[in-house]
């Protein structure tokens, strides 16, 4: 399974994901930030396919790259004057220092830790197994998630209603 | 197969970019975008751990699915709050909303 193609795919997808994320974190134009975020979402979906989690990749494209980005574009379109003058706060250097410290700590932990035996190949077939797990063992969180989504939908509708 | 550390390093980079965005931005919508980046990083880690370290179980994938569901709810509510904020104060900058400050 290990091949040049797999390694090349990983590096290309990682470059797309992290590059788009850098654009999201730095650019001041809201619409450009959302477009870059969609690029990052698609890169992560590709990484999910590389990890043999195809179902999650499809969910990622449908929900993140499809629904959430459209929602964000609507929010930007409905707040017209917020699209300009998005300078960073005075805390940006402190934030940069904190982010660098965090990435250093995470990388140190990830490389120092002994992760034990790693599987040589990925999942065989995930969609049906996820479906069975969701409706057998994890049926309670599944139902709670649907209640949460309903509550969030009602809350959003009530909040932006014209009074 | 690519070692699991590669995915963990990618997740660490993505998460830190999200942290930087959340802390340095003042526009509410841009803060929400950065929070999404952090959730993506967590999802990458969850799926990588599920595939590499527990290939017989699907707990990591289920967790990632719930993270996606909660993120969808969170984005809907957060954008509604940003919209309400803009309507009431005609600004989406979080540092101009300081009514509770003494």
């Amino acid at each position: 399974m290990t091949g040049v193609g797999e390694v090349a795919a990983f590096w290309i997808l990682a470059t797309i994901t992290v590059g788009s994320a850098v654009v999201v974190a730095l650019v001041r134009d809201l619409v450009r930030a959302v477009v870059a975020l969609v690029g990052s979402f698609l890169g992560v979906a590709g990484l999910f396919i590389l990890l043999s989690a195809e179902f999650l990749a499809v969910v990622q494209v449908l929900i993140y790259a499809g629904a959430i980005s459209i929602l964000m574009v609507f929010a930007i379109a409905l707040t017209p004057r917020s699209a300009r003058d998005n300078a960073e706060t005075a805390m940006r250097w402190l934030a940069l220092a904190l982010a660098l410290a965090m990435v250093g700590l995470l990388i140190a932990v990830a490389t120092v830790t002994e992760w034990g035996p790693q599987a040589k190949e990925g999942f065989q077939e995930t969609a049906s197994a996820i479906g069975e797990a969701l409706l057998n063992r994890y049926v309670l969180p599944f139902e709670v998630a649907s209640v949460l989504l309903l509550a969030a939908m009602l809350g959003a509708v009530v909040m932006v209603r014209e009074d | 197969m690519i070692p699991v550390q590669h995915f963990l390093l990618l997740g660490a980079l993505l998460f830190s970019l999200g942290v930087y965005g959340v802390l340095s931005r003042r526009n509410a919508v841009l803060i929400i975008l950065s929070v999404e980046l952090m959730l993506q990083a967590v999802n990458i880690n969850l799926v990588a751990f599920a595939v590499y370290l527990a290939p017989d179980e699907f707990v990591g994938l289920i967790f990632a699915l719930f993270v996606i569901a909660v993120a969808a709810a969170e984005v809907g509510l957060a954008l509604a709050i940003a919209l309400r904020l803009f309507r009431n104060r005609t600004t989406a900058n979080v540092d101009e909303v300081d009514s509770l400050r003494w």
Side-chain angles (χ1 to χ4, degrees):
Chain A
M1 187 166 170
T2 304
V4 183
E6 199 187 353
V7 176
F10 173 80
W11 284 108
I12 292 170
L13 288 170
T15 311
I16 291 174
T17 308
V18 175
S20 310
V22 169
V23 175
V24 172
L26 293 182
V27 79
R28 289 188 178 181
D29 188 275
L30 280 175
V31 179
R32 282 185 192 153
V34 171
V35 171
L37 191 72
V38 170
S40 187
F41 286 160
L42 292 177
V44 173
L47 286 169
F48 284 166
I49 290 177
L50 198 62
L51 282 164
S52 71
E54 299 91 352
F55 180 71
L56 267 183
V58 174
V59 169
Q60 168 92 7
V61 172
L62 280 179
I63 295 182
Y64 270 112
I68 289 184
S69 54
I70 297 293
L71 200 61
M72 282 168 170
V73 170
F74 265 103
I76 291 169
L78 290 173
T79 57
R81 262 163 298 169
S82 73
R84 60 171 191 222
D85 189 26
N86 290 312
E88 286 83 3
T89 57
M91 307 292 270
R92 72 174 298 190
W93 298 112
L94 198 61
L96 187 64
L98 190 69
L100 285 178
M102 177 161 269
V103 76
L105 179 71
L106 288 174
I107 286 176
V109 169
T111 46
V112 167
T113 308
E114 188 66 44
W115 290 110
Q118 295 175 10
K120 288 288 174 263
E121 53 192 80
F123 295 125
Q124 299 303 317
E125 209 271 309
T126 54
S128 61
I130 286 177
E132 279 175 22
L134 272 183
L135 290 180
N136 284 322
R137 193 168 160 200
Y138 299 100
V139 67
L140 182 63
F142 182 67
E143 296 299 334
V144 171
S146 53
V147 174
L148 172 78
L149 285 171
L150 178 68
M153 186 180 78
L154 290 177
V157 169
V158 168
M159 217 180 298
V160 298
R161 182 188 50 172
E162 301 279 352
D163 358 63
Chain B
M1 204 168 181
I2 301 154
V4 68
Q5 282 90 345
H6 282 37
F7 288 99
L8 300 185
L9 296 191
L10 181 69
L13 272 178
L14 220 54
F15 191 86
S16 303
L17 281 167
V19 168
Y20 172 72
V22 167
L23 293 179
S24 70
R25 297 297 202 167
R26 58 166 52 123
N27 187 299
V29 178
L30 285 172
I31 292 177
I32 298 167
L33 298 192
S34 300
V35 169
E36 291 306 306
L37 279 186
M38 291 160 76
L39 289 167
Q40 288 301 300
V42 171
N43 260 356
I44 290 178
N45 273 19
L46 283 174
V47 176
F49 281 136
V51 172
Y52 282 89
L53 303 180
D56 317 324
E57 302 179 34
F58 294 91
V59 192
L61 299 186
I62 307 276
F63 261 90
L65 267 183
F66 284 125
V67 168
I68 290 177
V70 172
E74 173 250 326
V75 166
L77 274 183
L79 290 177
I81 292 173
L83 214 59
R84 194 75 244 183
L85 185 67
F86 183 78
R87 255 191 222 157
N88 287 353
R89 311 282 302 258
T90 63
T91 179
N93 290 354
V94 289
D95 57 348
E96 290 171 35
V97 185
D98 50 4
S99 312
L100 285 179
R101 206 164 164 194
W102 53 279

